[in-house]
Amino acid sequence: MRPTVGHALVLVSTAALLATALAAAPAATAGPPPAAAPVPGTVPEAVGQLIAARDARRRGVDWADCPAGWGLAAPVRCGWVTVPVDYAEPFGDTVRLAVDRAPSTGTPAERQGALVYNPGGPGGSGLRFPLRATTGAALWTKTARAYDFVGFDPRGVGHSAPVSCQDPREFAAAPKPDPVPGGEADKQAGRQRVAAYAEGCLRRTGAAVLARMTTADTARDLDVVRAALGERRLTYLGVSYGSYLGAVYASLFPAHVRRMIVDSVVNPARDRVWYRNNLDQDIAFQSRWQDWEDWVARYDTAYHLGGTRAEVQANWERLRAAAKARPVGGVVGPAELLGYFQNAPYYDSAWTAVASVWSRYRAGDTKALVDAAGPRPADTAGNTAAENGNAVYTEVECNDAQWPTSWPQWDRDSTALAAEFPFLTWSNAWLNLPCATWPVPQGTPVDVRSRRGLPAVLIVQSTDDAATPYGGALELHRRLAGSRLVTERDAGSHGVTGLVNPCVNSRVDDYLLTGALDGHDVVCGPHAAPAPAP
């Protein structure tokens, strides 16, 4: 803890800096947002963030053609925004964040500013978001006329000083051990692997950067990006983990929000971030997996995988057991199968593809399954990106909150859940177990709730989402006064704003274009169910 005199000096600096920023800022949209009630975080971090945002507003973004190899053709342009590694040390080490932008397609009179996007993760890159404007994606045509579409790689992700926990070749190697332990020896071996992975995060990322891989610091970065774009207030769309990033941003910078949509919502309750959220996922994935099995059974004449849920499940268990005994093509075991098949409970758009690959394999096409679920050793860039995404996920979630350190608790909880919800439980446990032996101090989640200055937030959620169960949306709705919840009933695809559902799409457009919200929460019917592939 810093001495009291240090806090007093910093408080004086905060007032002086704020006064300087207000006096120096132009009166147009590039000016600073109005002051709001005190927000969570230490005083040094608040001062550091103010300094970084002031500097970013002064410098702006030097837009240029995107680097070759990024896959971002004109009119998308790229640039960089510099942020402190540690906001309590604003003149210390920095990170350059990669940002990109597609200019609004409408007239100057139609343009409202920038729409900034985060796709989730933690660990997802937002750099492909502007392509929704340049490719004429039908769902986004109206919004693209009003907004520049802006994406960015959060700290540690992709082109923004990427972090790592493991050699990408080792990360991509297959087959991996079966995530479902066969006994105590398997559990002990698993514990050793994940402890080594946690140490790898410290060794490969470095202690100083590792300790600042948090949602709160990413939210501070997001505010610096806002300032660099010249936006007085932020217009934001966040999906999945991006919903939690948005909720934390709204709590830290309530008066900096112009409009915010959060889609497929992480439960922000401090006692659920992140350990219990992942236990909730195990239950929800089982339910959505069974929805997919029902769908596959309904189209048994197309896929020949079983005429009932029970028959499909029995065939899944046989496939899994066979792959454990003899990995398909030498590289696809139970872990690889789960890595591919879990796309089905995640996204309706994957239902036909996963069913088709499995059906082709049962008909004798081994290559179809190996190509879909197996490793790609020659794909150096893809394997590096996958390892990076996993590293960011681990580092942010492990840093954000206190995790149980008792292996008996993890073992007890996972064993009990797996008895009833076996599809994802043990895989999810091993994914998150590095947090039990985390090598840097863990934090306390931001207290997400409304504070003075926060406008109405639009929350969009499907009832049967596996990755972010519906209870998370209800909890965030309860915490954000004046928010509106649009529910897609009897549906479970992750990322509702990207689906064709006029009941949802029209409300997203209305909110972004005019700020209009219904006077009450809305329940929409489901989007169209997938049809079997020819």
Side-chain angles (χ1 to χ4, degrees):
M1 178 178 293
R2 294 176 186 267
T4 304
V5 64
H7 284 303
L9 290 171
V10 170
L11 283 167
V12 171
S13 299
T14 303
L17 282 168
L18 183 57
T20 300
L22 289 170
T29 59
V39 296
T42 68
V43 171
E45 288 170 333
V47 172
Q49 195 281 331
L50 181 61
I51 292 170
R54 181 196 60 185
D55 289 348
R57 185 167 59 249
R58 176 175 54 82
R59 293 177 183 176
V61 181
D62 186 13
W63 298 109
D65 290 342
C66 297
W70 286 22
L72 301 168
V76 176
R77 307 200 83 196
C78 292
W80 304 93
V81 175
T82 300
V83 299
V85 170
D86 184 348
Y87 279 92
E89 301 289 342
F91 302 112
D93 291 340
T94 59
V95 172
R96 290 204 313 162
L97 305 181
V99 297
D100 65 344
R101 178 181 70 175
S104 61
T105 59
T107 65
E110 290 176 289
R111 184 181 180 276
Q112 297 189 36
L115 172 61
V116 183
Y117 174 76
N118 181 272
S125 168
L127 291 181
R128 296 192 66 78
F129 176 65
L131 298 181
R132 297 187 189 183
T134 62
T135 58
L139 284 181
W140 301 98
T141 301
K142 294 179 182 178
T143 307
R145 292 188 64 82
Y147 291 96
D148 301 341
F149 279 20
V150 175
F152 72 106
D153 277 352
R155 61 169 58 204
V157 175
H159 303 294
S160 298
V163 299
S164 175
C165 293
Q166 189 177 25
D167 187 305
R169 293 167 296 182
E170 182 182 356
F171 180 80
K176 292 179 171 57
D178 186 349
V180 178
E184 287 302 315
D186 287 347
K187 292 178 181 179
Q188 292 305 315
R191 292 177 65 192
Q192 291 173 4
R193 283 193 301 272
V194 299
Y197 184 82
E199 286 300 319
C201 296
L202 177 61
R203 184 177 66 256
R204 295 175 70 92
T205 298
V209 172
L210 178 61
R212 306 313 307 186
M213 289 292 294
T214 68
T215 300
D217 280 311
T218 305
R220 295 181 183 103
D221 294 345
L222 179 57
D223 197 61
V224 177
V225 170
R226 172 201 60 76
L229 293 171
E231 296 292 311
R232 186 166 183 261
R233 291 190 176 95
L234 176 72
T235 304
Y236 175 81
L237 169 62
V239 182
S240 190
Y241 166 78
S243 72
Y244 183 62
L245 175 60
V248 169
Y249 181 90
S251 301
L252 293 176
F253 305 103
H256 297 203
V257 177
R258 177 178 178 268
R259 292 172 194 160
M260 177 176 287
I261 300 177
V262 289
D263 172 7
S264 303
V265 177
V266 170
N267 191 322
R270 296 170 104 175
D271 63 351
R272 305 211 81 77
V273 176
W274 286 99
Y275 180 72
R276 295 200 175 277
N277 272 337
N278 281 285
L279 299 183
D280 293 341
Q281 265 192 348
D282 299 337
I283 299 169
F285 262 95
Q286 189 70 40
S287 177
R288 194 60 180 161
W289 169 253
Q290 290 171 347
D291 289 345
W292 179 72
E293 289 181 315
D294 290 339
W295 179 87
V296 169
R298 190 176 312 128
Y299 294 107
D300 187 45
T301 56
Y303 298 117
H304 313 293
L305 297 171
T308 65
R309 179 199 296 176
E311 290 175 359
V312 176
Q313 178 66 21
N315 282 327
W316 161 252
E317 291 172 1
R318 280 191 282 270
L319 171 63
R320 199 182 179 289
K324 182 173 183 175
R326 181 176 295 180
V328 179
V331 292
V332 176
E336 291 69 35
L337 286 175
L338 187 60
Y340 178 65
F341 276 73
Q342 73 181 10
N343 285 302
Y346 253 114
Y347 306 109
D348 289 8
S349 59
W351 282 17
T352 58
V354 175
S356 295
V357 165
W358 188 10
S359 180
R360 290 166 61 189
Y361 173 72
R362 279 174 59 87
D365 187 355
T366 298
K367 184 176 182 296
L369 185 56
V370 172
D371 286 349
R376 295 178 173 85
D379 184 9
T380 301
N383 293 334
T384 299
E387 190 280 326
N388 168 243
N390 198 82
V392 174
Y393 169 90
T394 304
E395 293 182 6
V396 171
E397 293 210 358
C398 291
N399 279 333
D400 269 358
Q402 304 292 315
W403 288 73
T405 58
S406 163
W407 165 248
Q409 179 178 349
W410 287 77
D411 190 15
R412 182 175 62 251
D413 290 344
S414 298
T415 299
L417 276 173
E420 190 173 354
F421 311 102
F423 178 73
L424 194 69
T425 295
W426 275 110
S427 176
N428 215 8
W430 298 122
L431 175 65
N432 294 290
L433 189 60
C435 301
T437 58
W438 199 236
V440 299
Q442 294 171 321
T444 300
V446 171
D447 182 21
V448 169
R449 63 184 62 255
S450 290
R451 292 178 172 85
R452 182 162 57 87
L454 182 67
V457 172
L458 178 60
I459 302 170
V460 183
Q461 177 78 33
S462 63
T463 54
D464 302 336
D465 191 321
T468 51
Y470 188 59
L474 297 177
E475 179 65 19
L476 183 62
H477 186 28
R478 184 183 70 79
R479 288 169 175 264
L480 299 185
S483 61
R484 287 290 178 264
L485 173 61
V486 174
T487 298
E488 189 185 32
R489 175 179 45 80
D490 299 331
S493 198
H494 195 57
V496 181
T497 53
L499 303 172
V500 177
N501 186 329
C503 177
V504 176
N505 306 144
S506 62
R507 287 173 167 83
V508 169
D509 280 346
D510 287 347
Y511 177 68
L512 288 175
L513 295 176
T514 70
L517 288 169
D518 291 278
H520 51 78
D521 294 338
V522 175
V523 177
C524 296
H527 62 275

